[in-house]
């Protein structure tokens, strides 16, 4: 099996991954998964597609993550992993799609409008 390259995005985070057969190592920006994401919840989010298909220890993943915060980065990585698994075995697509792992969450921060403190908030109106 050759190396599979996919991209995942979420908010302003971008994850580029290289998936190959191996022992289950996940390296992110030259750091181990547990070192890059100390939170157990974020580690769980990253591993969700692998656990769903039961292929957790079969593939090595090298990822480059940039932009956004840790939550967006973990979800971008999850999308990239799910896309790579579909490239390996197209029959897994329905199962991953049913669990929402192949859907790109397009919600981003709304821009700040002029004359307002934030995107939707307004300065308090003073009649006098």
């Amino acid at each position: 099996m050759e190396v599979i390259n996919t991209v995942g995005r979420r908010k302003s985070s971008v994850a580029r991954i290289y998936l190959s057969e191996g022992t289950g190592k996940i390296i992110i920006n030259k750091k181990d998964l547990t070192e890059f994401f100390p939170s157990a919840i974020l580690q769980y989010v990253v591993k969700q597609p692998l656990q769903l298909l039961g292929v957790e220890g079969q593939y090595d993943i090298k990822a480059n993550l940039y932009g956004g915060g840790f939550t967006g980065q973990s979800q971008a990585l999850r999308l990239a992993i799910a896309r790579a698994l579909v490239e390996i075995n197209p029959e897994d697509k329905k199962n991953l799609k049913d669990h929402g792992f192949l859907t790109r969450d397009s919600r981003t921060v709304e821009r700040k409008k002029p004359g307002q403190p934030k995107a939707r908030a307004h300065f308090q109106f003073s009649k006098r």
Side-chain angles (χ1 to χ4, degrees), residues 8-15 65-69 71-74 76 104:
R9 292 184 181 90
R10 169 74 170 100
K11 290 187 174 181
S12 60
S13 302
V14 180
L65 277 175
Y66 61 90
T71 303
Q73 286 184 343
S74 66
R104 200 288 203 202

Side-chain angles (χ1 to χ4, degrees), residues 24 74 78 92:
S74 66
R78 176 176 70 181
D92 294 332

Side-chain angles (χ1 to χ4, degrees), residues 8-13 71-72 75-76 78-79 83 100-109:
R9 292 184 181 90
R10 169 74 170 100
K11 290 187 174 181
S12 60
S13 302
T71 303
Q75 292 173 7
R78 176 176 70 181
L79 176 61
R83 285 178 173 172
F101 298 146
L102 290 176
T103 306
R104 200 288 203 202
D105 193 346
S106 60
R107 294 176 295 169
T108 57
V109 177

